[in-house]
Amino acid sequence: MFGWLRNLRAPPPIPEPAWQATLARYPFLAERPAADLERLRRLAAEFLRDKEFHGAHGFVITDEVALAVAAQAVLPVLHLRGGLTWYDDFVGIVVHPSEAVARRKTTDETGVVHEYEEVLAGEAMDRGPVMLSWQDVLASSVTRDAGYNVVIHEFAHKIDMRGGGADGCPPLPAGFAGTSSARDARAAWFAVLQPAYDAFREKTIVAERFGGEPPWLDAYAAESPGEFFAVACEAYFVNRTQLAAEFAELVALFDEFFIKR
């Protein structure tokens, strides 16, 4: 595996055959400008140097697995100021062969404890590791039309969590979108994201309960503003055209954050 990259101050370039195989499998990466691809390759090598991959249930981490995750994980921070420092709160990446089942426990407002099982394609833990299903990572090669990408989803959560909980608003600098303070920047962010989320949630409810036209984005985005942000980020990086057709203001907001900083 790419474990030989670890502990190197400046990792050498990813071998050409491995890089080209990754670009061929994930066309939304290959279609980026040459300058972006050069930076993406360098960041992916640094990511592989800094992170530790672990296979669950006997799953073997190969070069293909590690590079596929790395190349997609660094895409959201490609132009972000700070680069990979957005991911410096964790080291471990756990890859399952397919979806994982997690046991959950919640307490409702009356104090009653509810236990249930949740099927997961991925999970990002605050200041903890990222879990991914290899089956779903592979699916990202053919699900761009649906705007689906589990790696980008979980790493978008990681970016979001840098400001605290995954509430749908990553840390924003003073001056963001022409504001004069971090507080005003956050207000400006939610002035765009919240109405988009509310409208999407309403459309999802109408589709599920009354047989209305289902939304294009994954309905899971209606769970919370944090999930809406992560799902929208998936689409932003793999099918920007379709996302812009439905959420033009949201795409402009994401451009301001992911590109213009």
Side-chain angles (χ1 to χ4, degrees):
M1 209 197 57
F2 285 109
W4 56 271
L5 288 172
R6 288 191 59 78
N7 301 319
L8 294 176
R9 179 172 297 180
I14 293 166
E16 185 68 14
W19 183 244
Q20 291 303 323
T22 301
L23 296 183
R25 184 179 292 278
Y26 304 99
F28 60 88
L29 296 177
E31 293 167 4
R32 302 192 71 85
D36 278 8
L37 286 177
E38 182 179 352
R39 177 166 172 76
L40 189 78
R41 186 172 181 173
R42 178 172 61 79
L43 287 179
E46 293 177 4
F47 184 95
L48 291 166
R49 175 196 63 192
D50 297 339
K51 305 305 179 188
E52 295 179 355
F53 286 78
H54 307 275
H57 306 294
F59 183 74
V60 178
I61 304 296
T62 63
D63 285 355
E64 176 193 359
V65 172
L67 185 52
V69 171
Q72 294 175 78
V74 303
L75 186 56
V77 299
L78 190 64
H79 297 292
L80 275 181
R81 185 180 302 164
L84 292 179
T85 61
W86 286 85
Y87 300 153
D88 65 7
D89 66 326
F90 76 102
V91 174
I93 299 169
V94 181
V95 184
H96 290 248
S98 58
E99 294 176 327
V101 178
R103 293 194 60 81
R104 304 297 197 199
K105 181 185 292 186
T106 61
T107 303
D108 64 24
E109 61 275 6
T110 65
V112 177
V113 176
H114 302 270
E115 296 186 5
Y116 61 98
E117 292 184 341
E118 183 179 7
V119 179
L120 301 172
E123 185 173 29
M125 284 152 271
D126 189 14
R127 299 188 178 277
V130 172
M131 184 279 286
L132 297 166
S133 154
W134 176 238
Q135 173 181 289
D136 285 83
V137 175
L138 275 178
S140 299
S141 64
V142 295
T143 56
R144 68 179 305 180
D145 287 348
Y148 177 77
N149 187 289
V150 67
V151 179
I152 292 174
H153 183 103
E154 300 308 333
F155 282 86
H157 276 318
K158 277 294 187 180
I159 291 170
D160 189 1
M161 289 174 183
R162 293 302 295 242
D167 63 358
C169 182
L172 302 170
F176 176 80
T179 57
S180 58
S181 68
R183 182 176 182 177
D184 289 346
R186 182 176 173 85
W189 180 275
F190 276 114
V192 176
L193 186 130
Q194 191 69 47
Y197 166 70
D198 291 341
F200 177 81
R201 188 170 185 274
E202 180 70 19
K203 187 174 182 179
T204 301
I205 291 172
V206 170
E208 292 178 349
R209 297 182 183 177
F210 307 108
E213 181 182 358
W216 171 65
L217 278 180
D218 189 336
Y220 189 59
E223 291 289 317
S224 67
E227 292 301 343
F228 181 73
F229 170 70
V231 172
C233 281
E234 298 177 56
Y236 176 75
F237 286 104
V238 304
N239 195 339
R240 175 194 170 90
T241 300
Q242 184 62 38
L243 185 67
E246 302 198 17
F247 298 97
E249 292 185 356
L250 189 63
V251 168
L253 183 74
F254 284 4
D255 283 347
E256 186 76 22
F257 178 70
F258 287 108
I259 298 176
K260 295 182 180 179
R261 290 187 65 189

